[in-house]
Every structure is written in C-alpha cells, then in structure tokens.
C-alpha cells in the first residue's frame, strides 16, 4: 500500500479573494489570486479531482473528503473510502453564486430569506437546502444541501478546478471528524482513490456546518425554518436574520430537528417519518442531510458525559442524599471500564476554570487523569473537541514496553450550556457518548440513578 502524499499549504493566508465588482452580488464570480507556493499543489489536487479521485482538503469547519459533485463515480469513491452508509447524503461545496446556479434547477430564484442568509454568512459554516438539479426518484430526498466554505484553500481548490465538490468529513464513518491533516493521514492513509491530503493546519471552527432548510419559509409570515443539523453557526444567528427579513420577531417558526426551538433546550434525536395515516406510515424516509441518522464522532474507547451542577440543575431522580461528588462519579466510571485490573487511565476534556477537574486533581485517587482543556467557551470547545478525543485515544503509554497499548481507557467530557455553539458541541458529545460501548445505567442508591447510560450529573458544590 502506497502512502498518500501530504501537500504542505501552510501559506494559505496569502491567497487573495476579490469580490465581484461588475455583477449584482459580490459572491457571483469572485476572483482568486493563488501564490506560486500553493498553485502547484492545487493543480495536482485538481488533476486528481478531474480523474474521478478524491482529495482531502481543509475547510473552516473540518477536513473534507472532496470529489466532483458532477461525477457519480467520484462520489461513490467517497462512500467506499469512508465506508459511509449509502443513504447518508453529501453536502455540495461551491466557490461562487455562479457555480451555485450550475447545480440548481434552471431559472431557480433565491428567496429573500436565502439571499439574506447567504449574504450574511457565506462564505462560512452554513449549508442551505436547495431543490436538487437532478433529483432521484422518490422517496429519496429531492434536495441538496449546499454551502460556500470560508477557508481560502477550499475556495481556491473549488475555483481552480472549476468543480462543485461534495465533501463530507475526511474520516472513516462514525469516527471523530478530523481537524488536522495528521488526523486524516492516520485514518485514511493509503486508501484507494484518495489522491492527496492538502495540509492547511488546524481548522478554525472545528465542528461541521449548520444545515438549514428554509424552503418552507413564506414571505409575509406563517412559514417555518428548520435547522436540520446544528453546527458552526448558532441557531440564534439564523433567527436574527429570519426576523430581519420578516420585519418582526415570531412571524416564522424556528425548528431544530423538526421541533420548536427554545433557547438552552437540547433537541431530541431527529426522526424522519411519513405522517401517520398514510399507506406508508411505517416507512422511514432517507435523511435529507448528513448527521440525522447514524452514530457519529465515536472514539475507540468509551466516552462519558458529566454535567456539572454549576451549569445543569439537579435531575429530579437524584436526591440530595445520593452521592454525586466528582470523586464518586470518577470511581463509578472507573468501575464500569473494568471492575478489576491495572490502574486505569482516564482522559478528561474540560473547560478552563472547571470546578469538576479542579476538585478531582486536588483529591487522592487510584485513577490516572490526563486532562485536556477545551478552552473557556463553547466556541473554543468546538475547535478542540474532535482533536481532543483523537489525542486521548492514542496518547502514548507511560510504559516504554512495545507490547503495551497506548491511549486512555475512557474519555470524560464536561458538558456546557447549549446556547450559541454550545448546541452543536453538546449534540456531538451526545452522539459520541458510549464510544467503545454504551454501558447502561449505573450508581443506584436507594433507587436513585446518578448516571444513566454514559451520562452523569455531578455536584461541584456551586450552583
């Protein structure tokens, strides 16, 4: 198996993008200046794309496994390389509105809402649902999610190749998304059909794009906008633009996964089914966008979520007499990893100034802790979440013995409020919980459950 070449493009900040000047919209046909240090790499990547190959490319969200959206053979390579379920759709990436029009039905006219959203957030981590230019037979989705990435390397590659690119995250299906070129290499190196990996450093946002279905918005009110996948753009920002276009608040219903959105309310996992009462009321429809159906973001080891009391209220099933302090929760997790055996290593992804990790580190314990900071906010947590999981599952063993496996035995992730980017972070943590295996309810005391599944509420002594 030959090694996949990595093309170093760390000088991507020198790419210059000039908005359109003689057209109706600045994104219609922007011009690109690609410096000599990068141009040969993009030419090489473009050749792979035109030869029905795939290319791993950085975006502002995560690294994408890109192939020509106009080439069915190339798109099938994406599914094969990732071992991706065939009904999990791909998001199309464009570099201009002119290119966007190439993948829309002839004569399609942008709604005032879509024009406002793309003017406000493109290029950026927002995918919009559009009618498909070549829809498959029903009940398959008749739409495509499309976005314009903001990373200059991704934009320059799309423009230079003159191809709209389908690009899901560049990792094996179900694994944490890659935010560095090394993550892609460690996972997909040597995959047949992967032409090269473009190294543009760390991704700035760190979680995938927000996917919005605004096709049911109605001018004058009475319609709805559905956030199909929370991501790198907060729901609050979407609502702000919707209200601006409507001229007042509340004229359009904002949904998340098809359910009314309320701030700081994490939605239940989405379900896509036909209305009851139809002849096919038990048929599950294919997902219209990625992230709606399958388990994602799972490391090779069990993942646990802790909800500290200074952010999350005490659950109704946990009495004040039920042990729930940090050390007790850590001991419960350690017992679930392996009731007996050698000293356990547990990685903890925590926020700065975390009372949970501060208290744990100050107490005697028989578990080795490897803390990794998520930073001070949901935005920094989004940047560091996937990289933190991938780092912890492969952190070197303290022993130099070659036959001893590296990595931690489990990963604990500290939860956060789901406001802003916190919604995207918590949704991805929720899908990662379990990791190497969901282990069931734990820590019952007089019938009260402290932890359910792999999620624990923890009393840090401050509310």
């Amino acid at each position: 198996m030959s090694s996949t070449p990595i093309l170093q493009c760390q000088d991507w900040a020198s790419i210059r993008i000039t908005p359109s000047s003689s057209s109706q919209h600045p994104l219609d046909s922007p011009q690109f200046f690609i410096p000599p240090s990068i141009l040969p790499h993009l030419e090489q990547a473009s050749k792979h794309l035109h030869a029905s190959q795939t290319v791993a490319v950085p975006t502002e969200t995560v690294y994408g496994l890109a192939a020509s959206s106009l080439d069915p053979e190339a798109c099938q390579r994406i599914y094969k390389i990732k071992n991706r379920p065939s009904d999990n759709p791909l998001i199309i990436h464009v570099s201009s509105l002119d290119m966007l029009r190439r993948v829309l039905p002839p004569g399609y006219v942008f709604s005032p809402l879509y024009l406002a959203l793309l003017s406000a957030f493109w290029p950026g981590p927002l995918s919009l649902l559009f009618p498909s230019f070549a829809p498959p037979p029903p009940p398959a989705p008749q739409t495509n999610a499309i976005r314009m990435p903001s990373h200059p390397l991704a934009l320059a590659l799309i423009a230079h190749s003159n191809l709209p690119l389908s690009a899901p995250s560049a990792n094996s299906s179900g694994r944490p998304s890659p935010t560095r070129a090394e993550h892609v290499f460690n996972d997909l190196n040597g995959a047949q059909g992967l032409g090269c990996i473009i190294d543009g450093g760390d991704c700035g946002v760190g979680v995938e794009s927000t996917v919005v279905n605004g096709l049911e918005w109605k001018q004058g009110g009475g319609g709805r906008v559905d956030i199909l996948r929370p991501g790198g753009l907060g729901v609050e920002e979407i609502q702000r633009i919707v209200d601006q276009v409507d001229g007042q608040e509340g004229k359009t219903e904002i949904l998340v996964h098809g359910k009314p959105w309320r701030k700081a309310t994490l939605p239940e996992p989405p379900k896509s089914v036909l209305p009851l009462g139809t002849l096919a009321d038990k048929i599950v429809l294919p997902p219209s966008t990625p992230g709606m159906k399958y388990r994602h973001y799972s490391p090779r080891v069990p993942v646990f979520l802790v909800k500290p009391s200074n952010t999350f209220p005490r659950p109704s099933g946990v009495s004040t007499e039920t042990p729930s302090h940090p050390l007790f929760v850590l001991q419960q997790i350690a017992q679930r990893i392996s009731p007996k055996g050698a000293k356990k290593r547990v990685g903890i992804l925590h926020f700065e100034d975390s009372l949970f990790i501060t208290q744990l580190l100050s107490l005697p314990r028989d578990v080795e802790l490897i803390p990794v900071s998520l930073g001070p906010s949901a935005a920094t947590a989004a940047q560091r979440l996937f990289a933190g999981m991938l780092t912890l599952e492969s952190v070197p063993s303290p022993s130099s013995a070659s036959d001893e496996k590296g990595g931690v035995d489990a990963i604990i992730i500290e939860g956060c409020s789901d406001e802003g980017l916190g919604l995207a972070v918590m949704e991805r943590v929720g899908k990662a919980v379990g990791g190497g295996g969901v282990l069931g309810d734990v820590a019952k005391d007089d019938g009260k459950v402290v932890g359910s599944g792999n999620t624990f509420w923890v009393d840090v002594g401050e509310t």
Side-chain angles (χ1 to χ4, degrees), residues 9-10 12 58 63 151 179-181 198-203:
C9 294
Q10 302 290 345
W12 56 263
Y63 273 72
H151 198 296
T179 57
R180 300 171 186 160
I198 299 176
D199 188 350
D202 290 6
C203 297

Side-chain angles (χ1 to χ4, degrees), residues 161-371:
S161 64
N162 195 29
L163 292 172
L165 299 181
S166 296
S169 56
N171 57 279
S172 299
S173 186
R175 296 276 293 142
S177 299
T179 57
R180 300 171 186 160
E182 66 186 79
H183 298 159
V184 182
F185 186 84
N186 292 340
D187 189 358
L188 302 181
N189 177 39
Q192 186 174 2
L194 175 58
C196 62
I197 300 169
I198 299 176
D199 188 350
D202 290 6
C203 297
V205 175
V207 294
E208 296 84 354
S209 64
T210 300
V211 181
V212 173
N213 179 6
L215 296 176
E216 296 182 40
W217 174 84
K218 297 178 181 179
Q219 193 157 11
R224 64 181 191 174
V225 171
D226 195 352
I227 285 75
L228 302 178
R229 182 182 72 182
L233 185 67
V235 181
E236 297 88 345
E237 291 298 296
I238 303 296
Q239 184 179 44
R240 178 175 61 84
I241 298 299
V242 172
D243 290 343
Q244 285 181 5
V245 175
D246 287 344
Q248 68 180 68
E249 295 182 6
K251 293 180 70 175
T252 296
E253 186 177 21
I254 305 296
L255 309 175
V256 176
H257 296 316
K259 296 186 177 182
W261 175 69
R262 298 292 182 269
K263 288 185 178 180
T265 302
L266 193 65
E268 296 178 9
K271 297 179 181 178
S272 180
V273 297
L274 290 172
L276 293 176
T278 67
L279 292 176
D281 60 4
K282 294 184 179 180
I283 297 176
V284 177
L285 290 175
S288 58
T289 188
M292 295 181 67
K293 183 176 180 181
Y294 297 97
R295 175 176 286 278
H296 293 274
Y297 321 123
S298 295
R300 297 188 180 95
V301 298
V303 176
F304 299 85
L305 168 64
V306 295
K307 296 183 173 182
S309 59
N310 58 338
T311 302
F312 298 88
R314 180 184 295 271
S316 58
V318 179
S319 71
T320 55
E321 290 77 26
T322 302
S324 54
H325 54 81
L327 185 57
F328 176 80
V329 169
L330 178 64
Q331 291 170 340
Q332 293 296 314
I333 291 174
Q335 290 177 12
R336 296 180 70 200
I337 298 169
S338 176
K340 299 179 181 179
K343 183 176 181 179
K344 301 166 186 69
R345 308 175 77 209
V346 175
I348 300 184
L349 296 175
H350 65 90
F351 287 87
E352 287 183 9
D353 302 322
S354 164
L355 295 175
F356 173 68
I357 189 66
T358 299
Q359 292 180 23
L360 279 183
L361 293 176
S362 67
L363 296 170
R365 59 196 179 278
D366 58 0
V367 176
E368 179 188 356
L369 298 182
I370 303 178

Side-chain angles (χ1 to χ4, degrees), residues 387-408:
M389 287 193 284
L390 291 169
T391 296
L392 287 172
E393 73 168 14
S394 60
V395 67
S397 169
S399 170
S400 59
S402 59
D403 60 345
E404 185 169 347
K405 71 178 183 67
V408 296

